[in-house]
Amino acid sequence: MRVLFASSEVYPLIKTGGLADVSGALPAALAEAGTDIRILMPGYPQAIDAAGAKRVVGTLGDPLGLGSEARLLAGKLPGSGVPVWLVDCPALYGRDGGPYQDAQGHDWPDNGLRFALLSWAAAHLCTENSPVKWRPHILHCNDWQTGLAPAYLHAWKVDNRPGTVFTIHNIAYQGQFLPSLVGRLGFSPEMYAMDGFEYYDTLSFLKSGLFYSDRLTTVSPRYAREIQTPAFGCGMDGLLAWRAADLAGILNGADYQVWNPASDSYLAFPYEAGDAKGKAANKAALQTELGLSLSADTPLMVIVSRLNDHKGMDLVMAALPGIVKLGAQVAVIGTGDRALEDGFKAVAEAYPTQVAARIGYSEALAHQMMAGGDMLLMPSRFEPCGLTQFYALRYGTVPIAHATGGLADTLVDTGYDTLMTGTANGFVFEHANAGAFRWAVERAVALYRQPDQWRKIVKACIGQDFSWGQSASRYQELYKSLAGAASGCKRS
Ligand code: ADP
Ligand code: GLC
């Protein structure tokens, strides 16, 4: 089975969040399980370097009329060796800043063109005009940045086209652009319609993916149900409910090669999961590094997150004075909304031995926080899957989380019964408000102060296995059910 996996970010080549983690680890797990998989992504300069992509595989021409030809470069994913193709187009991708935004945090104004080219290239590699002979049975697209690929296959009426799978990692990001782009991207005006990629007078890349793909998946079973409701669907709930028979929730996994406390090169003291002394040494190192008071029995709560309301960071801000009063420590590494960044910094300045805020992105600190923390705070209002809770569990750091999406699917609240049965692996609250969150924190601190009970919870955390193997087989089953079934456009 040949699968082309298209994504806008892939760890360790470039990463802004969980999409990159998945786009690095899932293809590797699929390759290990026998799938012939190639990744397609934009040729950001650092990604070209990191993938060692010096070989030009072919030209892609100038489909968007940019005045220069795009090329396809071939490299490999460090670690797993999965083949990666990068769309080399310096006019669109050769710039400093992030994959979606400039250094000031503003979206690149030409994101429509940038990700249309990625989508175009993904579709083009599925046709007989492709510069490479390798032709996929399945095109697997991820998030809005690749959402036009199935639309191109539809528009071109490709014979024997591959089956198309579109995975929603986060429905809140939709890629909406002015309708004037429709012609520029080579589409006929008929596709700019309700039964197409038009969405409230805009061209929606996300809707395109949802409408034109054969199958839809999202990253947890619970989120698959949630996005069919107005509360979570971000306007796509009607379309998704209509496509419910084609929609499946497949839980993400964790890459335990990268997230393993015993072999973690970012840690001063790598430790076997469950080794309490090893964890204590990392906690002391983290407290020292962050300037928090050095105290083995003060509960240390960590946050590794984008700082915005989606992640419930406003709830943390609201609950923070109370958490400080409880005598706990809180350490944050993240970037995001300016008000939240400033808010965390201000509290850290007011309570320097109890609260630390590092505004920025640091892989090293993310790993050190997982190792040194006692609890991970994750009060997300919605969370398609969430990966940091998987990492926390493996590092013996107990998640405190809102019961939504993948958090609800992976965490079991601590109560009398679940403690007795050894299944409690977190503190989970039902309603996304500061009071409910604060109550979960208080329960966690109370249990932390009973070391025998706490050990039981930590044991349940580290005992869980969220490795990618099982999810990879679910994707393989999906691919199998689709390969060969998609000759001609299903929705035409
Ligand atoms: P999302 O993709 O919605 O941000 P996930 O939990 O799926 O949330 O994935 C977030 C990923 O990004 C994790 O690998 C996490 O460790 C990482 N991450 C988030 N913020 C930072 C940061 N400031 N520094 C380093 N890593 C971060
Ligand atoms: C998105 C979601 C996150 C998920 C990740 C990977 O960024 O917000 O919940 O874990 O994608 O699928």
Side-chain angles (χ1 to χ4, degrees):
M1 170 86 62
R2 292 186 297 274
V3 177
L4 181 63
F5 189 94
S7 177
S8 57
E9 54 178 282
V10 182
Y11 181 84
L13 306 179
I14 188 154
K15 165 168 165 179
T16 70
L19 172 62
D21 288 6
V22 173
S23 302
L26 173 58
L30 285 163
E32 206 173 305
T35 302
D36 178 4
I37 190 157
R38 316 265 160 124
I39 297 171
L40 180 75
M41 65 178 295
Y44 313 112
Q46 67 269 50
I48 295 175
D49 278 356
K54 298 201 179 72
R55 192 161 63 86
V56 180
V57 179
T59 173
L60 296 168
D62 181 16
L64 306 183
L66 298 166
S68 60
E69 291 214 324
R71 305 177 309 166
L72 195 64
L73 304 180
K76 285 207 186 311
L77 211 57
S80 64
V82 172
V84 187
W85 283 324
L86 299 105
V87 180
D88 181 35
C89 179
L92 295 183
Y93 309 126
R95 45 184 91 157
D96 294 337
Y100 317 117
Q101 296 178 332
D102 63 20
Q104 281 68 48
H106 301 122
D107 285 357
W108 295 113
D110 55 354
N111 272 347
L113 291 176
R114 297 174 76 239
F115 296 108
L117 183 66
L118 176 65
S119 299
W120 182 94
H124 186 66
L125 294 180
C126 300
T127 70
E128 55 189 23
N129 303 322
S130 166
V132 289
K133 280 213 190 84
W134 186 94
R135 200 87 75 253
H137 299 105
I138 299 291
L139 171 61
H140 187 160
C141 296
N142 293 277
D143 272 355
W144 72 264
Q145 294 87 346
T146 54
L148 287 185
Y152 276 117
L153 289 176
H154 171 88
W156 298 338
K157 301 196 177 5
V158 174
D159 280 340
N160 293 320
R161 72 164 174 84
T164 47
V165 174
F166 184 83
T167 297
I168 304 158
H169 294 265
N170 191 335
I171 204 153
Y173 299 98
Q174 305 200 341
Q176 284 173 258
F177 298 95
L178 292 175
S180 52
L181 211 53
V182 173
R184 168 90 195 266
L185 301 183
F187 292 108
S188 68
E190 293 84 73
M191 289 173 70
Y192 186 71
M194 200 174 92
D195 282 342
F197 46 44
E198 184 271 343
Y199 180 72
Y200 291 103
D201 295 330
T202 65
L203 160 60
S204 164
F205 282 33
L206 176 70
K207 187 180 170 201
S208 170
L210 301 182
F211 188 82
Y212 288 110
S213 304
D214 297 313
R215 296 292 170 81
L216 308 175
T217 72
T218 189
V219 288
S220 69
R222 167 104 166 216
Y223 193 61
R225 296 194 297 276
E226 287 173 343
I227 53 180
Q228 295 176 52
T229 68
F232 291 91
C234 295
M236 297 295 169
D237 37 290
L239 174 54
L240 287 168
W242 177 62
R243 296 220 56 193
D246 299 319
L247 170 65
I250 304 178
L251 195 70
N252 283 335
D255 186 343
Y256 293 133
Q257 306 271 352
V258 178
W259 294 94
N260 175 359
S263 59
D264 192 325
S265 55
Y266 291 116
L267 305 187
F269 306 100
Y271 63 104
E272 290 295 333
D275 164 13
K277 278 203 189 118
K279 189 154 177 68
N282 284 286
K283 178 171 175 178
L286 184 62
Q287 286 171 326
T288 309
E289 158 82 20
L290 298 176
L292 299 170
S293 54
L294 193 58
S295 162
D297 50 15
T298 297
L300 170 53
M301 304 179 179
V302 296
I303 295 173
V304 179
S305 182
R306 294 186 281 121
L307 303 180
N308 57 28
D309 290 1
H310 148 204
K311 294 289 182 185
M313 289 299 131
D314 54 320
L315 304 182
V316 178
M317 277 307 299
L320 208 45
I323 298 178
V324 167
K325 274 208 197 101
L326 283 175
Q329 295 178 335
V330 178
V332 186
I333 169 83
T335 54
D337 295 352
R338 178 55 78 80
L340 286 164
E341 291 182 351
D342 291 347
F344 278 114
K345 277 195 282 191
V347 183
E349 268 164 37
Y351 302 95
T353 57
Q354 253 186 293
V355 179
R358 293 289 180 273
I359 304 306
Y361 189 92
S362 160
E363 284 289 336
L365 206 46
H367 284 247
Q368 289 153 7
M369 291 235 190
M370 289 299 169
D374 295 302
M375 299 136 193
L376 174 79
L377 302 183
M378 228 176 153
S380 309
R381 283 206 166 64
F382 65 95
E383 194 59 80
C385 178
L387 295 171
T388 39
Q389 81 275 21
F390 292 147
Y391 308 151
L393 290 170
R394 181 45 57 104
Y395 282 63
T397 303
V398 181
I400 301 178
H402 175 219
T404 185
L407 296 172
D409 284 341
T410 50
L411 300 174
V412 177
D413 184 37
T414 299
Y416 183 78
D417 292 358
T418 55
L419 254 186
M420 286 301 145
T421 52
T423 50
N425 67 356
F427 294 83
V428 183
F429 57 98
E430 287 295 327
H431 300 287
N433 61 61
F437 171 55
R438 161 94 190 267
W439 174 232
V441 168
E442 282 179 20
R443 288 194 293 128
V445 170
L447 265 289
Y448 178 82
R449 294 192 168 134
Q450 301 177 47
D452 287 350
Q453 305 298 342
W454 192 256
R455 268 194 292 277
K456 278 191 208 160
I457 304 172
V458 171
K459 189 168 171 221
C461 291
I462 61 179
Q464 285 194 287
D465 182 3
F466 288 107
S467 47
W468 268 105
Q470 215 181 329
S471 313
S473 357
R474 295 276 322 271
Y475 281 105
Q476 282 187 316
E477 280 162 28
L478 176 70
Y479 297 155
K480 267 191 213 133
S481 73
L482 196 53
S487 53
C489 269
K490 178 171 170 275
R491 320 196 68 75
S492 53

